[in-house]
Amino acid sequence: MGSDLILSIESSCDETSAAVVDDRLNVLSCVTASQIELHNQFGGVYPEMASRQHVTNILPVIDQAMQEAAVQPGDLTMIGVTRGPGLMSSLSVGVNTACALGRGWGVPVMGVNHLRGHVASAELNGFEIEFPSLLLLVSGGHTLLAMMDDGAEFRLLGETRDDSVGEAYDKVARELGLGYPGGPVVDRLAKSGVSAGRLPKVMPLAADGYDFSLSGLKEATRRLIRSQPDLSVEDVCAEFVDACLGLLVRRTTQAVERERPRSVVVVGGVAASPPLRAMMKELCDEAGIPLLLPDLKWATDNAAMIGGAAWRYVERDVPRSLSVDPRLRFDQF
Ligand code: KG4
Ligand code: ZN
């Protein structure tokens, strides 16, 4: 166990989460209040409702995380909080709360990039990334491939020009009336369906590049549903998962061959997908390099990963910033 402790806070989208993490990235506690039920009623996240929920939940969640870890404010070395990217009004609740507590308790506060939080989700509880490493980040807000040469600098290889993979899952789920978020239910139904390659393969936008577009796949899925009403929901899900994850596997394989990373890291909400985890394992086994995946409970948004990223900032002497930035890029801090 490490001896320094951080209280970390995440409120960038629809989860209000607080955690206590030590400087060796052991998670002492993590409490998350999900708004899924609320947003499920409306098929997506409405910023105004989300931020009001954060205001209601944030102090009880922090209180419970501190209690479960049995720590007092005086035991904390630092408070870490997500400062972007995400919804402006939701991020502000987290950052304002962190600043108020920091001032009251006399503890420094550090802003953290949510996307670097996702990267740290694979390092919680004692895992270390071997660099240079290939990063596949697949969440509701982002889909990108990057090389991490040393853990601080990221080199973008390619990304989606429109929808993220998480969004594509959510939109297909909405089209099929399956509720929000779509990932888990679409994956589950796909397991009992059959894919016969009825959807077109997603192609790269440039012959030698990694960028791609997913809005076409979403449209093609919609057309498939309408043109073949007899197709079971399970089969539609199987077709979609096959086409979508097939694309990720092709791009990742290409990047492993060209960039020769020493490891592969797959993070973000979609990293909770059992078929994606299995496909990435097979790919890495074939390439003979280790695969780092977050524990299932750290794949979707949570504060533990934000605490982990904050400790990496401390190790690397990253200057502290608390400005809220809804459009913070993945290579910023
Ligand atoms: O990382 P995350 O919790 O939030 C963002 O930062 O965006 O990702 C949420 C996304 C949602 O789109 C959800 O449908 C997807 O992750 N997701 C999954 C699974 N669990 C969550 N997608 C595929 N399979 C899953 N099991
Ligand atoms: Zn996220």
Side-chain angles (χ1 to χ4, degrees), residues 68-239:
E68 284 183 15
V71 301
Q72 304 296 322
D75 303 330
L76 297 173
T77 309
M78 196 169 54
I79 297 174
V81 61
T82 305
R83 72 177 186 94
L87 301 169
M88 182 72 189
S89 49
S90 292
L91 290 163
S92 301
V93 176
V95 171
N96 291 340
T97 307
C99 289
L101 292 176
R103 197 165 301 159
W105 293 343
V107 178
V109 183
M110 176 158 225
V112 173
N113 184 328
H114 179 83
L115 303 175
R116 287 184 184 262
H118 275 300
V119 175
S121 71
E123 297 185 287
L124 295 174
N125 296 331
F127 293 95
E128 276 197 31
I129 298 174
E130 265 183 68
F131 297 108
S133 181
L134 176 69
L135 170 70
L136 174 64
L137 192 152
V138 270
S139 70
H142 294 80
T143 299
L144 58 87
L145 261 175
M147 277 301 286
M148 305 190 287
D149 292 325
D150 59 3
E153 304 298 323
F154 291 179
R155 187 159 47 87
L156 184 67
L157 298 177
E159 62 187 333
T160 176
R161 297 275 180 91
D162 38 58
D163 293 344
S164 70
V165 172
E167 254 177 312
Y169 262 94
D170 293 340
K171 287 179 176 168
V172 167
R174 193 197 297 205
E175 188 73 22
L176 292 168
L178 299 173
Y180 171 88
V185 56
V186 169
D187 268 344
R188 185 165 44 75
L189 292 171
K191 246 174 69 179
S192 33
V194 181
S195 165
R198 296 177 184 95
L199 290 170
K201 262 194 180 168
V202 183
M203 301 303 283
L205 293 179
D208 58 348
Y210 295 95
D211 280 1
F212 51 88
S213 155
L214 279 177
S215 61
L217 177 62
K218 180 187 66 193
E219 271 312 306
T221 309
R222 188 173 291 164
R223 275 199 304 276
L224 180 67
I225 295 167
R226 301 212 168 134
S227 66
Q228 300 199 34
D230 295 339
L231 208 59
S232 70
V233 173
E234 287 82 0
D235 284 350
V236 174
C237 290
E239 294 290 355

Side-chain angles (χ1 to χ4, degrees), residues 17-62:
S17 183
V20 177
V21 181
D22 76 16
D23 55 348
R24 302 229 183 115
L25 275 65
N26 295 304
V27 182
L28 277 67
S29 68
C30 183
V31 177
T32 303
S34 170
Q35 304 181 9
I36 283 178
E37 263 175 43
L38 173 74
H39 301 303
N40 203 350
Q41 295 166 36
F42 303 96
V45 178
Y46 287 85
E48 176 71 16
M49 281 196 275
S51 64
R52 257 191 280 147
Q53 283 289 309
H54 287 306
V55 171
T56 309
N57 292 336
I58 200 157
L59 288 177
V61 160
I62 291 171

Side-chain angles (χ1 to χ4, degrees), residues 313-331:
Y313 283 22
V314 171
E315 276 169 29
R316 290 169 189 140
D317 277 328
V318 174
R320 277 198 271 138
S321 168
L322 278 168
S323 68
V324 173
D325 185 349
R327 309 194 136 271
L328 196 63
R329 287 197 327 268
F330 85 104
D331 55 347

Side-chain angles (χ1 to χ4, degrees), residues 10 12 114-115 118 139-140 268-269 299-301 305:
E10 154 65 36
S12 65
H114 179 83
L115 303 175
H118 275 300
S139 70
T300 47
D301 290 350
M305 67 185 199

